[in-house]
Every structure is written in structure tokens, then in C-alpha cells.
Amino acid sequence: MNLDGLNKDQRKAAETLEGPVLILAGAGSGKTRALTYRIANLIDHGVKPWNILAITFTNKAAKEMRERVSSLVGEGGDEVWVSTFHSMCARILRRDIEKLGYTRSFTIYDDDDQSSVIKDLIKQFNIDDKALPAREIKSKISDAKNKLQAPDDWFSQSPRDFRSQQIHDLYDAYERRLRHANALDFDDLLVRTLELFADHPPVLDSYRDRFQYVHVDEYQDTNFAQYSLVKLLTKKSRNLCVVGDDDQSIYGWRGADIKNILDFEKDFKDATVVKLEQNYRSTANILEAANQVIAHNEGRMEKSLWTELPEGDPIELFCAGDEREEAAWICDRIQQLTIAERSCGDMSILYRANAQSRVLEEMLVRAGIPYRIYGGLRFYDRKEVKDIVAYLRCIVNPADDVSLRRIINQPKRSIGDSTITELVRYAGEKEMPLYSALVDVPETLSARPRKCVREFGELMNELVLSREDMSISEFVTLLIEKTQLKVQYERDLSDEGKNRVENIQEFIGSVREYEEATDDPSLEDYLENVALVSDLDTADFESKAVTLMTVHSSKGLEFPIVFLAGLEEGVFPSGRSFNDDQRMEEERRLCYVAITRAREQLYISYATQRMLYNQVNYNAPSRFLNEIPKRLINDEWISKREKIFPGAMDSYQHPTPKRASRYAADGTAGVGLGTGVNVLGISGVQKGFTPSLAKAIPSIAVAAIFKEGDRVMHRKFGEGDVLEIRGAGNEARIVIGFAAYGQKEFALSIAPIVKVN
DNA sequence: GAATAAATTGTTTTT
DNA sequence: CAATTTATTC
């Protein structure tokens, strides 16, 4: 194996093949490179590819690693098992889950499904959902599962109060519900795999034999269940190689335990530790900023990143009046960079919370800048798509009550709440799945609903039968026909309706794509993909568009130019971490991750006033800003702000809160004020490219993104040229020359125009 | 009893 | 602001 392309430390990582290995890899230190070379080297030393397991954090990372290994070793590279924990477990369970009393066609419940089970149980138990909200129960259950605590285990280490008792009861009932529905939630995939291994030693042994060399990437973000699984698998071989960076542990809220990586050397006394400290990604300035910020955390593993790269540009800092100005400044910078021949594909805008993306999107549309947004709503999470998926799940797994309830009256077939309640009661009484009640309809229902239910039952049975003799895509097409799922939207001629029809069409396309790309396609396997594939997994960064995403999503990625928006107290760091040191340290690690995404240029912005979650706040600049040495920052934009947004200050002197206070001090309802500003949102422009549909975003900040000579598109008058911009701030007006309509003048702050290139 | 219109309420991060 | 709950009409 030729390891010349590696530095000294990377080479050590790739050459240490036996025993436990800890690779402490700083941001941008080429850890994926080291890992792929190590795997290739193992194969080179005669290890069979199928005896190697590599666990990554996302499916996309898995795919990339498989490709990189293949390109190093050629044939056989794709025989290496590379997948996420969840995909691996799903695959293991698909084989042997019958030993645990489930069937192989089990359903994987997503977040929504979990919530609906819990909400239903809360109702059934007659629990006050204000004292115990569903989301809290959900996170409690998830926490418990991540720690491998069954309901009784959890209870035995909780305070013996009524509240814990209720949580215990709900957790217990939740578990039984899922079991009855032949369904597993995300956490179950791990828990049940461990259960399988614990109860069936021969199964465990077969996987121990199979996975002689185990690799875990992003080890700092593993939880106790994942840790246990890894330990169990490598107990005999002791060939475990983990890669991670304690400074990039950002999933503590999801049960990830940073101690897993901090204590690795205690766990494996003879572990070889390799530190990758040379950064190949960022300029010296950016790296120094990141190093200084993270130095404010305590209890880190010792390591110091360095680079041979030049100093580079300073970090550009801007203080905006509000979130729209911030967005406008970013758009203006992007336009300037584009003029300097930088591609939009090299740029990314990162933010703490998904909710921040909306304003950015609106402004990007106006400025005519192509962008893609990741996170937020997945394609498979759209209503119309989820409905089809729910049908498919019911057909594959008739015990799946949650999915059945979702579609029993979708599209409308006159099966209302009271009918459903009765069906559920009847099914519960006879201890059978809800599906059976469609055929064995309870006598207690009156004639009309009974007819509707029976018709629906016949439709479903018909579908189940026709699945036998056709391909998956043919079947999905037939299903959409018979259920009239598409027809109902085709009648709707609005943008939303058209969008839904398109999404349904695209769904059929995705099924067909899957069918062609897979050796042995099955509906079960397809549904598993739907459940486990994230938005980011399907992302392509090839297109020349600015990438928008949360800092969390950006982990593992890099961009030449990064905009980091919303660096304010309460936003980043999140207000929820204020009174918890542990969480605050995680916020700081998150900031470290954000900064280290940038290769060449980093732009940071914050706003003195921000409307977020429908509330106006005046936030101080983020503490993380103070942790970056002044000498690395160019803050001249702040003093130029008046020039970029002339007259902008005026409108910020009398900010109008949307609602003064929802409740008066005495507990009576207060009077809402209303902004008086009509915000025409842009609908249907997700992952957007075509700005032609854009409506007006009333904002004086938009002035900054239009200049004389620009070509613009008006919603009514079509394309024209900007001839003149008069006045400033709220009073600013824009004169546009249209070929067909001649010269027109508009108030710039509300004109429905977008820039075109 | 079901479908629709109006009112209320809560939002970090996600495999 | 959208998702969900509640009131009202058919």
C-alpha cells in the first residue's frame, strides 16, 4: 500500500492495524483520508473487505467513504460494510428480528409517528398535557432508550413521585403499543439489536466473526447504546479504531456522551493514540479564531491545531440593524464576490436555528441569487408524500395502526373522528390491529359509516392483492390511482396544489430510481430508506448555488466562503443554554464547528434587533465574538453601515412589537397590537432557483441589493432595467424602464421586484 | 356526524 | 407563521 500521500501522523493511523486505536482528529486534519487509507491498507494486508465495518454519521458520508475506498483498492472495495449505526442495525434486524417476536416487515416510526402514539396515550391516560407535554415524554423516552433503560430501569433511578410514575406508565404503554404495531422507533433500532445480541449468542458470534475490524467515525457523538454495541462487537477481536474530536461534540442533547471519547484510553488501556493536528482546510486567521474560541472550554483533550497555510483575509464582521439588514448585507457581499468571479457553489450561509433561514431566503430570492436549503422539511416529510408512504406501510405491515389512522380518511371518505374512535375501541376490545376492524366492522356503527369503512377495507384488500404481481413503481402508481390521492390535488389549481401534484410525481420518480439502482428491490427495503435517509444525504453540492443550513448540519462539510449569521446572545449561543455550563460549552463547540467550516473567507454578522419566533428581541453581540482576538477581525463594515443602508436608522427608533404582551399582568388576556406591516411570504420556493414568482418583501434593507443598471423582474410588468434610485431609507424610490410599459417609479421598500442575471 | 372556518399557541439542534 | 385545537355551519 502506497501511503506517500499521508503525513506522519496520518500514516501512523493508517499503519496501526491491530488492537484499539484512537485517532484524535482536529477539524480539517484529513481524518477521512486517514480512515480510508487505513481500510485500504487492511485490504492490502489480506483482510477480506467484508470483514471490515466502518460506521459513519450520515448515509452520505458512508457513500463517500465507500467510493473513496473503492478508488483506492479497486474491485472489492464496495464489499466493505460502510453505513450509519441506524442503517446497520436495520439491516441486522431485517434478518433476525423474528427471534424477538417481530416480523421482518416491521415499520420504522419517525418523529411524527412517535408523537402521535404519545399524544394518543396522554389522552387515553387522561393526563394533563400541559403538565406533561408530549415532546417532553418523547425526549424522556429517547433518553432512557439511549441509556438502555427499560421503563422499570428508568423508574428505579428516578425520584419516586407521581410525575415519574406517570412517565413510567406512558413509557411502558408506548413500548407495548410499538410492539403491537410491529414497529420500531429510531432508538429501538439500536436497543433491539443489542437485545438480539444479548439473547441470541450465536447471532452475536456470527457478527463478531464477520466484523473483525471495526471503525467508528465521529466517535465524540456516540451515545451509550452505540458505545455498548461497538464494545460488544469488538470484545473478541479488540480491533476497534475510533475517530473523533471532543471539540466537535455537538449532539449531547440527543444523548451523545462526550465521555465515550474522553475515556477511550481508560476503556482500552493499550490503545494506540494518534493525534492529527495539522489542519489542511482553513487559513491561519480562521484557524486561530477557532482555536481561541474553543480554548474557553474546560476539560478538553490536549491538542493544538496548526497550519502551514498563509494568514489569509481577516474575518469580516457586520452589525446589522435587524435580521433583514443582515440578510441584505450577506446578499450584497455575495453579489460582490460573484463579481470577483467567485462561484455561488463555493459559498454557504450557516445559522443556529432553522427558523433563521426564512428571511435569508426571501432576500436571496430578491437579489436573484441561486440557493439551496437543507434541513427543515425533508422531501419525504411533505404531507402528500407522507400519505403515500403511510399507505405503503399499512400494506407492508397491517399492524401499523399509526399509519392506518393517518390515511383512513385521506382523501376524505366520510370516516370521521367518532367513527375512528369506535373502530379503535372495537379493535382494542378484540385485541386485534385496527386494520382488522376494517373488515370485521363493529355492529355498533350505524349504516352509513359502516358502509364507508367497509368500502375502504375492500380498497385496501384489493391493493394488498395486486401488490403480488407487479413491480414496486407500478404498484405505487396503481395505489395513487385507486386511492385518488393525486386527483384531489389536481382539482386544486393554486400554487400549493400544483406543488403537491409535482411532489407526488417526484415520489413515483424516486421509487423508479430506487428500483433501477438496487439489485434486489423490495418495498420493505425502500420504506427503510425513506425512514433513514436524511435531507442532507441527497444533497448535491455540484450545482452552483449558495448552500443554507444549520451549523449542526454542516458538520463534516467545508466551503471556501462561509457566512455565519446571527451571532447574538440568545440566538447563538441559544438562550436555552444560559444557565447550564455543560450546554454552554456545547454551544461553544458548535461555534467552533461553524468557524472551521470555512476555508478561505469567513463573514460573521449579528443584529441589534431581531424578530425570531415571532418575537422581537434586542440581543447583545454573542460572547463568542469577544473570544475571537480583535486583530483577526475587520469591522469596518460596521462604520459603513449608514452608507450601505442610508436612512435605515430612522425606522428602528420606534420598533413595534407584534404583540405587546399576550397576557396582561393580572392574567387576563391582553390586547394584541399587530405590526401593520403586511409580510407577503414567498410560497413554494424551497430549494429554490426560479425567482420569477417572488412577491414583495417590504423592507427598506432591500435597497442595498439593487443598483443602477441592474436588470430586474417585476411581478406585473416583467423585465426591466434600473434607471435610477432616488432618496433613501423608507422614502427611497426606484425608477425602472420596461420595454413594453416605459418608465415606472415604485417605492423601493415594497416593490415586488427581483434581480435577474 | 363530518367538513370547514376561526382562534389559539408554541418553536434549537436531528440520525 | 404554521400547526393544532376549538367553534360553527352543513
Side-chain angles (χ1 to χ4, degrees):
Chain A
M1 188 70 217
N2 182 0
L3 300 176
D4 287 348
L6 302 180
N7 69 28
K8 195 174 117 271
D9 299 319
Q10 289 172 333
R11 184 180 300 201
K12 188 179 171 197
E15 281 176 340
T16 313
L17 302 181
E18 303 294 322
V21 181
L22 168 63
I23 303 176
L24 271 177
S29 61
K31 60 168 179 144
T32 313
R33 195 176 169 78
L35 203 52
T36 43
Y37 269 89
R38 185 179 196 267
I39 293 171
N41 202 23
L42 279 167
I43 296 171
D44 206 49
H45 279 74
V47 178
K48 297 293 171 228
W50 52 88
N51 288 141
I52 301 170
L53 171 68
I55 295 169
T56 57
F57 199 65
T58 63
N59 291 295
K60 185 166 187 270
K63 196 174 151 221
E64 272 169 15
M65 185 166 291
R66 209 174 299 122
E67 281 163 7
R68 284 172 78 162
V69 170
S70 286
S71 76
L72 283 178
V73 302
E75 280 291 296
D78 51 352
E79 303 258 10
V80 179
W81 262 52
V82 193
S83 77
T84 63
F85 272 109
H86 296 274
S87 296
M88 175 182 79
C89 291
R91 211 164 139 184
I92 292 172
L93 291 171
R94 241 0 124 191
R95 268 181 89 97
D96 283 310
I97 200 167
E98 286 173 0
K99 296 190 170 66
L100 300 178
Y102 295 81
T103 78
R104 285 186 195 195
S105 48
F106 65 86
T107 305
I108 298 171
Y109 274 1
D110 66 16
D111 244 41
D112 275 357
D113 302 321
Q114 285 184 62
S115 295
S116 52
V117 172
I118 294 167
K119 277 181 190 157
D120 195 57
L121 287 171
I122 286 177
K123 237 184 236 158
Q124 193 191 314
F125 279 52
N126 237 329
I127 288 171
D128 178 16
D129 60 348
K130 290 213 170 61
L132 267 179
R135 23 178 299 113
E136 197 185 327
I137 305 291
K138 200 171 76 184
S139 83
K140 282 275 187 327
I141 292 178
S142 182
D143 274 1
K145 287 190 177 184
N146 287 156
K147 290 182 193 149
L148 300 178
Q149 295 167 338
D152 292 341
D153 304 327
W154 181 85
F155 189 60
S156 67
Q157 53 87 62
S158 300
R160 297 298 164 108
D161 54 17
F162 182 58
R163 194 182 159 81
S164 299
Q165 181 68 54
Q166 282 188 321
I167 295 172
H168 164 269
D169 294 350
L170 282 168
Y171 180 14
D172 192 52
Y174 171 86
E175 288 289 84
R176 275 180 288 153
R177 270 285 175 91
L178 258 65
R179 192 166 270 276
H180 275 297
N182 193 27
L184 307 189
D185 63 26
F186 277 122
D187 304 315
D188 277 337
L189 290 171
L190 292 150
V191 176
R192 300 275 100 98
T193 303
L194 280 161
E195 192 183 318
L196 175 71
F197 286 166
D199 297 352
H200 300 273
V203 180
L204 173 60
D205 281 338
S206 76
Y207 283 103
R208 276 181 175 165
D209 286 345
R210 166 136 206 184
F211 301 133
Q212 286 166 22
Y213 293 85
V214 177
H215 305 79
V216 184
D217 197 5
E218 308 283 9
Y219 191 66
Q220 76 281 356
D221 283 322
T222 50
N223 60 37
F224 182 68
Q226 293 166 332
Y227 168 83
S228 308
L229 190 60
V230 167
K231 271 210 113 173
L232 202 59
L233 279 174
T234 56
K235 185 138 192 204
K236 268 189 197 151
S237 73
R238 293 181 46 80
N239 291 324
L240 172 62
C241 172
V242 302
V243 189
D245 178 1
D246 53 312
D247 289 333
Q248 294 187 63
S249 165
I250 55 175
Y251 284 96
W253 51 274
R254 212 171 72 185
D257 192 348
I258 193 169
K259 284 207 192 78
N260 288 345
I261 191 160
L262 297 177
D263 292 345
F264 189 83
E265 289 172 86
K266 278 185 212 154
D267 269 352
F268 299 92
K269 291 267 190 300
D270 57 333
T272 309
V273 180
V274 182
K275 285 186 193 176
L276 304 182
E277 294 174 305
Q278 181 174 4
N279 175 294
Y280 294 93
R281 181 186 293 154
S282 310
T283 63
N285 275 340
I286 292 170
L287 192 63
E288 172 71 0
N291 277 337
Q292 292 293 334
V293 169
I294 199 65
H296 287 78
N297 271 2
E298 283 172 16
R300 303 168 51 218
M301 290 180 119
E302 198 148 316
K303 106 181 93 66
S304 57
L305 276 180
W306 57 279
T307 181
E308 283 177 349
L309 293 173
E311 218 173 62
D313 297 332
I315 294 163
E316 308 281 348
L317 182 67
F318 184 65
C319 171
D322 70 357
E323 73 280 359
R324 287 186 182 159
E325 242 182 68
E326 176 184 53
W329 178 73
I330 292 174
C331 289
D332 186 49
R333 289 299 87 210
I334 293 175
Q335 290 175 333
Q336 291 306 313
L337 286 161
T338 318
I339 291 168
E341 308 260 295
R342 298 303 305 243
S343 160
C344 284
D346 288 344
M347 303 179 212
S348 168
I349 308 176
L350 306 180
Y351 35 81
R352 175 68 238 268
N354 278 310
Q356 287 169 257
S357 70
R358 212 194 75 241
V359 183
L360 292 163
E361 274 190 82
E362 287 174 353
M363 205 60 77
L364 286 161
V365 169
R366 281 217 125 186
I369 298 167
Y371 69 93
R372 291 201 152 212
I373 183 160
Y374 296 106
L377 197 61
R378 272 186 342 150
F379 172 69
Y380 294 114
D381 286 337
R382 309 232 162 108
K383 247 188 255 99
E384 57 278 15
V385 177
K386 281 202 88 165
D387 287 341
I388 307 176
V389 170
Y391 270 100
L392 295 172
R393 283 170 161 195
C394 287
I395 283 156
V396 166
N397 174 20
D400 184 353
D401 288 3
V402 172
S403 297
L404 185 58
R405 280 173 79 162
R406 185 189 172 92
I407 47 131
I408 194 165
N409 198 29
Q410 177 64 42
K412 301 257 154 35
R413 47 175 75 89
S414 298
I415 302 176
D417 284 344
S418 48
T419 309
I420 296 174
T421 311
E422 177 55 20
L423 287 172
V424 169
R425 189 202 60 77
Y426 182 72
E429 182 189 284
K430 294 188 97 179
E431 289 189 341
M432 62 188 192
L434 186 57
Y435 191 98
S436 309
L438 299 180
V439 190
D440 174 13
V441 188
E443 303 284 328
T444 40
L445 283 178
S446 51
R448 220 170 76 91
R450 193 151 76 217
K451 183 165 164 275
C452 295
V453 171
R454 192 163 283 146
E455 268 170 19
F456 176 59
E458 277 160 18
L459 172 70
M460 290 302 279
N461 281 340
E462 207 180 306
L463 285 168
V464 170
L465 286 178
S466 45
R467 173 154 94 105
E468 303 296 319
D469 37 45
M470 55 178 79
S471 73
I472 304 171
S473 58
E474 281 169 339
F475 176 65
V476 170
T477 314
L478 178 89
L479 184 143
I480 290 167
E481 282 290 316
K482 293 249 168 169
T483 55
Q484 301 198 299
L485 229 37
K486 199 166 82 178
V487 181
Q488 66 169 329
Y489 295 122
E490 275 166 350
R491 274 186 234 131
D492 179 1
L493 295 175
S494 68
D495 280 355
E496 202 194 357
K498 283 181 196 159
N499 232 308
R500 299 217 147 130
V501 174
E502 271 171 35
N503 286 334
I504 292 175
Q505 218 56 53
E506 199 179 325
F507 180 78
I508 299 174
S510 91
V511 175
R512 210 164 273 146
E513 215 170 275
Y514 160 80
E515 224 166 26
E516 278 159 22
T518 317
D519 290 338
D520 184 20
S522 75
L523 195 48
E524 285 84 349
D525 185 54
Y526 177 76
L527 290 174
E528 182 183 307
N529 279 320
V530 169
L532 296 179
V533 162
S534 75
D535 194 23
L536 218 64
D537 291 331
T538 51
D540 70 329
F541 295 110
E542 301 303 308
S543 64
K544 299 225 178 306
V546 179
T547 305
L548 273 72
M549 63 176 104
T550 62
V551 181
H552 278 94
S553 300
S554 75
K555 190 172 81 159
L557 303 173
E558 59 176 42
F559 299 90
I561 301 162
V562 167
F563 292 88
L564 184 52
L567 265 209
E568 294 141 43
E569 289 291 299
V571 178
F572 196 178
S574 154
R576 305 200 175 216
S577 58
F578 281 169
N579 38 28
D580 185 330
D581 291 349
Q582 298 265 310
R583 285 176 144 212
M584 186 53 79
E585 293 219 332
E586 185 153 311
E587 294 286 318
R588 189 172 283 108
R589 291 194 291 269
L590 196 54
C591 184
Y592 174 77
V593 168
I595 294 172
T596 53
R597 295 312 94 192
R599 290 167 58 140
E600 298 163 29
Q601 284 175 297
L602 178 62
Y603 294 81
I604 297 178
S605 55
Y606 61 101
T608 47
Q609 171 191 320
R610 178 180 301 272
M611 165 109 111
L612 193 64
Y613 309 126
N614 203 23
Q615 215 181 7
V616 176
N617 280 104
Y618 299 86
N619 303 317
S622 171
R623 66 191 68 191
F624 302 144
L625 277 177
N626 297 326
E627 295 170 2
I628 302 174
K630 293 278 167 291
R631 66 191 156 81
L632 304 174
I633 296 176
N634 170 21
D635 60 1
E636 66 182 48
W637 293 109
I638 294 175
S639 51
K640 281 191 197 158
R641 179 172 163 257
E642 267 297 294
K643 261 191 215 148
I644 311 173
F645 302 106
M649 282 309 278
D650 314 343
S651 71
Y652 297 111
Q653 282 165 8
H654 309 287
T656 331
K658 177 131 186 168
R659 265 180 302 222
S661 151
R662 201 167 281 183
Y663 300 101
D666 58 0
T668 58
V671 183
L673 286 178
T675 45
V677 182
N678 178 25
V679 181
L680 298 162
I682 301 158
S683 58
V685 194
Q686 307 92 350
K687 299 194 174 183
F689 253 95
T690 41
S692 58
L693 293 170
K695 294 172 191 165
I697 323 160
S699 163
I700 55 175
V702 296
I705 60 180
F706 294 106
K707 293 183 180 53
E708 282 172 27
D710 282 348
R711 186 122 181 110
V712 295
M713 164 80 80
H714 189 280
R715 195 148 47 96
K716 252 202 202 124
F717 303 110
E719 278 194 35
D721 296 301
V722 178
L723 301 177
E724 195 188 344
I725 292 171
R726 281 190 211 144
N730 270 328
E731 312 307 317
R733 303 186 71 77
I734 186 166
V735 183
I736 302 172
F738 298 100
Y741 302 90
Q743 278 193 23
K744 297 262 177 197
E745 192 179 308
F746 307 94
L748 184 50
S749 59
I750 56 161
I753 49 173
V754 301
K755 206 160 150 173
V756 290
N757 299 313

